[in-house]
Amino acid sequence: MNHPNSIWIPVKSESDLVRSIVDAKRIANEIGFDNNACQMIATAVSELSRNILKYAGKGEIIISPIQKGYRVGIEITAQDRGPGIPDLEQAMADNFSSSGTLGLGLPGVKRMMDEFEINSVLEKGTRVIIKKWR
């Protein structure tokens, strides 16, 4: 599944979070997304990286350019081996925050992307895969 041009970023500190945002924006720009789309992608990666740090302590972000026929895009995988999400339906509800913040949350990430997939297993971790097509 990993593209040869994928970038793998271990996320275990605030500086890793910043690197994931910068790299996502740079790759989106290289693929040819406009500034608005690059900003949306960077915002989504920021939210996913922040969730890794907040809930799991560490994990990783994988950023890959993708192609399907004539379409090009970006795929971002955020994964951790943290506690998992006890109630995915609740986590995907607007305005729900388990930490008392007003972050975009997963629903905001889903709205900004063209494709969104989440898998979470208690005590095993969470994986979110998002895609944006140009």
Side-chain angles (χ1 to χ4, degrees), residues 19-87:
R19 181 177 161 219
S20 71
I21 297 165
V22 169
D23 283 349
K25 203 169 185 177
R26 177 180 55 77
I27 291 171
N29 195 24
E30 288 169 6
I31 291 169
F33 283 99
D34 64 25
N35 283 341
N36 185 38
C38 286
Q39 192 56 51
M40 274 200 287
I41 290 161
T43 301
V45 169
S46 170
E47 186 69 26
L48 295 174
S49 294
R50 214 167 282 290
N51 282 352
I52 288 172
L53 288 178
K54 194 188 305 179
Y55 300 110
K58 64 181 192 224
E60 60 224 9
I61 297 281
I62 302 155
I63 305 165
S64 309
I66 53 172
Q67 191 165 355
K68 191 187 225 174
Y70 294 108
R71 294 188 342 162
V72 292
I74 191 166
E75 177 181 279
I76 294 134
T77 302
Q79 55 194 18
D80 65 61
R81 285 163 285 293
I85 301 170
D87 187 341

